[in-house]
Amino acid sequence: MRKKALLSAIAALFVISLSSTAQELSFETAKFHFGDNPEWKNADFDDSSWQDMQTVMRWDDQGFPGYLAEYGWYRIHFNISELLKTSDYKSALKIYCGRIDDADEVYINGRKIGKTGGMPDSETGFATAWKEDRWYVADLKEGFVNLNGDNVLAIRVWNEDGDGGMYHGPVTMQIPSKCDAMEYSLKEAVENGQSCIKVSITNPIKEKQKGCFKLMVHNPETGEIFDRLETTLTIGWKQKKVFTFPLPERGYCRVDMNYTDVNSGTSRSYSITPKYILTPDEPLAPRFNGAMLFGVRPDSPVIYRIPVSGKRPMTITSADLPDGLTIDSENCCIGGKLSRSGEYRFHLHAQNAEGAADTELTIRVGDQIALTPPMGWNSWNCWGLSVSQEKVISSAQAIIDKGLADYGYNYINVDDAWEAPERNADGTIAVNGKFPSMKGLGDRLHSHGLRFGIYSSPGDRTCGGYLGSLDHELQDAQSYNEWGVDYLKYDWCGYVRKHATEVDRGTVASYVRPYMLMGEYLRNQPRDIFYSLCQYGMADVWKWGYAVDANSWRTTGDITDTWESLEDIGFKEQRELYPYGQPNHWNDPDMMIVGKVGWSDNLRDSRLTADEQYTHISLWALLAANMLIGCDVAQMDDFTRQLLCNHEVNAINQDILGRQARPVVVDGRIEIWARELADGTMAFGIFNRGEKDATVDISRYADFYPGDNVTLRNLWIQEDVPAGTTSFFVPSHGVKLLKTK
Ligand code: GLA
């Protein structure tokens, strides 16, 4: 598999994790003023009467709520004379400004050094960039930064909506040394039939660099060393040195590097973990991979794609198929309708040239349509507002072609940006030119047993500024039914304006109302429409989501492909939510951020490291989270495919007891999250949120330890853990996902 992974993902670029020892200045507070005045960028402006504002927390969170459509300025006074002494390069000042909700412009001593997002008064107009990290660089050779005295960093901020201001800081400043400037990259490749990694080091500085470069390719878990190198390099401006190493066939491997500048002695260490596949190759004979439990309302269409992997062609038959149902063996799906409530159990037999498999499927006809968390795809994290019907079909086709549908991924959800600018004359919702036919799209998906999802808002506009459903809720629910929609994501966003005019605004009732309304209309349609609430957890939605018949509710703001975002959303914000997730009503920590994402036409590899991606999927499995793929499936490499298609891992997510995991051990940065499973066993993840690898002895946690006589299963590699093992290696930001047997 590793060779295949490499061939299909030739030259995938990896993010380098840098352990830098560079000195820095750090600012957790700044002088601050709401409003806007061009004078405030200047060094000589007197801000002594301004209030203090933290740079690490949004306005709302530090007692300044409601500053919507508002400017504000932060001013930080700084002196770099001491910092200069720590650098052998002294050419640039690198500034981190955390994240800013929504857009900003940055000045030093009145000189603009950069901007992120778009200010409403700029030529291109407003554009939010609230989740982007802000890095700015000031050229120290240009003379506007005072090297020996006071300077002022002034940050002009615009908040369109949301909580406003700078967060995720503190603001930090560094003056890079020469060795900080060196650029590293790692590519996977195949040379002479051998999988290998190519590590390159480039000098971007306009002078020759001489340094000692050390490198080790190893498995930190087993201590095995695959390769070592130690060499002295002399690299000219823009020159690149490339080193090639064979890659072990399978399993964990890490590349540790160290570079020391010979003149200054300054040294930096770097570490990269290439994408490593743990999921064993799939057998060619048929294998059923899903929960084999499906909920549908009486008389609603059954649209069920049979999750079965194995070589095609394959025939699927049932000797005891209930009346009213049909099997389309070629497209691997079951259709039809069942009128009477109750439990229908029947057998499925799959046969191909390599073998056969049998299973029992239960269709439960009743009120509940999401007996296990939804699995599928959503367009947002990859295409953002640039989504089109063509792009949706391309990912849907790839879900089938790459065999992800064989693991239960079956919802294909169009997020924002399918709507026309205006409704039709009769008030019905219209689509824009990127979506030639919604009904056609629905029919096409259904013919493959896939289900069709769509997006709207209870407001007049969506988050992306497209038409919402306000005052047209019934008409929209009816249109969805006509198009064959099976899933609605209903996103608060534009409702904020209506909410602001309501007399009971801020009460739970005011948050429930718009969702109650649409919930009722959806339920009255003659088909099952999964109802996905998206209002970021306001008014503790997990406490009342079930009452509006929601099948899931987003518990947090939007996720992005960084460790910080994954940590906040996956760990910190889910700790208390385990009592609220249950069959038919799931907590939704947002869509997955693996594979090629980008929220636009510019896709990139997820910025999560391989270890972080294992953490992500393990955690989503334990949390009984919606498993919605957020990347372009057509461009999915084998690493991501294997990450998403491990049937033992997915079985945890799809476990029919529907118990969400909770943290049972918190020991510094080590956390164990566990969930009970339908068969009486327990799944748990040992997570290492720290910056260093750890070896965790679970027998130390007496309240949690399952006992010496319990056999454990290592789910990612699908092997039993050798008897007597209680200690587990868990890489920094990584996980061991285990299950008792
Ligand atoms: C909000 C939601 C996202 C996405 C966008 C679309 O930000 O939280 O998941 O649907 O809107 O505009």
Side-chain angles (χ1 to χ4, degrees), residues 637-689:
D637 63 14
D638 281 356
F639 166 77
T640 311
R641 197 270 181 195
Q642 293 300 81
L643 194 64
L644 296 171
C645 294
N646 184 311
H647 70 296
E648 294 199 19
V649 174
N650 293 359
I652 305 304
N653 174 268
Q654 292 290 300
D655 183 74
I656 59 173
L657 190 61
R659 286 274 161 81
Q660 178 173 327
R662 65 197 167 93
V664 291
V665 171
V666 176
D667 182 2
R669 305 292 287 162
I670 299 296
E671 294 187 7
I672 301 180
W673 289 58
R675 71 179 274 189
E676 202 185 315
L677 302 172
D679 64 359
T681 61
M682 173 181 65
F684 61 99
I686 312 170
F687 295 95
N688 177 1
R689 293 175 54 193

Side-chain angles (χ1 to χ4, degrees), residues 2 197 215-228 246-256 271-274 276-278 611 693-695 717 728-732 736:
R2 172 149 258 163
I197 40 176
L215 181 146
M216 178 165 79
V217 186
H218 66 127
N219 180 338
E221 177 161 13
T222 58
E224 215 176 334
I225 295 174
F226 306 116
D227 244 302
R228 265 178 198 285
L247 195 61
E249 260 307 301
R250 174 172 280 280
Y252 199 61
C253 135
R254 186 179 294 166
V255 183
D256 285 338
S271 195
I272 313 171
T273 300
Y276 59 98
I277 291 175
L278 296 179
D611 289 322
D693 298 342
T695 299
I717 59 171
F728 296 91
F729 171 84
V730 191
S732 158
K736 266 287 180 302

Side-chain angles (χ1 to χ4, degrees), residues 380 415-416 455 463-464 489 491 534 536 554 558 590-591:
W380 183 249
D415 208 279
D416 204 357
Y455 166 98
C463 279
K489 172 173 171 184
D491 188 357
C534 175
Y536 339 114
R554 274 270 297 278
D558 289 14
D590 209 356
M591 297 158 307

Side-chain angles (χ1 to χ4, degrees), residues 449-688:
L450 299 176
R451 292 184 280 176
F452 178 26
I454 212 169
Y455 166 98
S456 188
S457 170
D460 57 343
R461 295 275 151 188
T462 64
C463 279
Y466 288 77
L467 278 180
S469 295
L470 185 66
D471 298 332
H472 295 273
E473 293 84 356
L474 177 58
Q475 276 183 311
D476 286 359
Q478 288 166 342
S479 297
Y480 302 155
N481 173 51
E482 280 158 28
W483 296 340
V485 166
D486 307 299
Y487 189 116
L488 174 69
K489 172 173 171 184
Y490 207 42
D491 188 357
W492 174 270
C493 238
Y495 193 79
V496 79
R497 284 181 289 277
K498 166 95 158 90
H499 185 69
T501 65
E502 291 172 330
V503 281
D504 63 347
R505 66 181 170 275
T507 61
V508 174
S510 71
Y511 285 103
V512 169
R513 199 161 41 235
Y515 285 102
M516 181 76 96
L517 186 69
M518 185 54 109
E520 202 175 310
Y521 291 141
L522 293 180
R523 211 169 42 246
N524 289 337
Q525 301 309 311
R527 62 182 306 108
D528 296 348
I529 302 180
F530 183 106
Y531 191 24
S532 149
L533 270 49
C534 175
Q535 47 84 288
Y536 339 114
M538 289 184 303
D540 292 352
V541 62
W542 41 87
K543 294 186 178 156
W544 52 265
Y546 72 91
V548 301
D549 238 357
N551 300 110
S552 71
W553 42 81
R554 274 270 297 278
T555 53
T556 70
D558 289 14
I559 199 165
T560 192
D561 58 328
T562 61
W563 171 245
E564 292 77 14
S565 175
L566 178 64
E567 240 200 337
D568 282 352
I569 286 180
F571 292 104
K572 294 185 197 155
E573 302 198 38
Q574 305 306 318
R575 312 196 86 80
E576 312 290 339
L577 300 189
Y578 58 90
Y580 305 103
Q582 54 176 297
N584 209 38
H585 306 294
W586 307 103
N587 286 311
D588 170 10
D590 209 356
M591 297 158 307
M592 294 187 280
I593 36 163
V594 299
K596 283 205 184 295
V597 293
W599 292 268
S600 68
D601 262 334
N602 298 319
L603 299 190
R604 56 160 187 266
D605 256 348
S606 169
R607 290 176 290 179
L608 296 181
T609 65
D611 289 322
E612 291 165 355
Q613 298 192 43
Y614 279 105
T615 289
H616 180 14
I617 304 307
S618 305
L619 194 52
W620 262 231
L622 287 165
L623 292 174
N626 297 19
M627 293 281 274
L628 292 179
I629 299 167
C631 63
D632 178 15
V633 188
Q635 294 186 57
M636 186 183 282
D637 63 14
D638 281 356
F639 166 77
T640 311
R641 197 270 181 195
Q642 293 300 81
L643 194 64
L644 296 171
C645 294
N646 184 311
H647 70 296
E648 294 199 19
V649 174
N650 293 359
I652 305 304
N653 174 268
Q654 292 290 300
D655 183 74
I656 59 173
L657 190 61
R659 286 274 161 81
Q660 178 173 327
R662 65 197 167 93
V664 291
V665 171
V666 176
D667 182 2
R669 305 292 287 162
I670 299 296
E671 294 187 7
I672 301 180
W673 289 58
R675 71 179 274 189
E676 202 185 315
L677 302 172
D679 64 359
T681 61
M682 173 181 65
F684 61 99
I686 312 170
F687 295 95
N688 177 1

Side-chain angles (χ1 to χ4, degrees), residues 268-387:
R268 298 286 183 266
S269 295
Y270 305 85
S271 195
I272 313 171
T273 300
K275 291 174 176 174
Y276 59 98
I277 291 175
L278 296 179
T279 305
D281 289 351
E282 187 174 283
L284 292 173
R287 186 180 66 197
F288 290 98
N289 298 303
M292 294 300 152
L293 174 67
F294 183 74
V296 64
R297 294 195 182 105
D299 282 326
S300 288
V302 170
I303 302 165
Y304 180 72
R305 171 113 195 163
I306 303 162
V308 56
S309 57
K311 195 173 167 190
R312 268 46 182 188
M314 186 186 292
T315 53
I316 304 170
T317 50
S318 172
D320 50 0
L321 190 70
D323 285 346
L325 298 184
T326 52
I327 293 188
D328 171 352
S329 182
E330 192 184 323
N331 289 308
C332 243
C333 51
I334 296 180
K337 279 183 186 170
L338 294 166
S339 300
R340 262 187 307 131
S341 295
E343 200 146 286
Y344 296 75
R345 279 176 195 222
F346 54 101
H347 296 89
L348 293 176
H349 176 78
Q351 175 92 49
N352 68 7
E354 310 289 331
D358 290 280
T359 192
E360 192 176 73
L361 174 66
T362 301
I363 298 193
R364 194 174 291 158
V365 182
D367 286 343
Q368 305 207 327
I369 61 167
L371 297 173
T372 59
M375 296 180 75
W377 176 84
N378 172 293
S379 58
W380 183 249
N381 291 354
C382 44
W383 302 119
L385 298 176
S386 80
V387 63

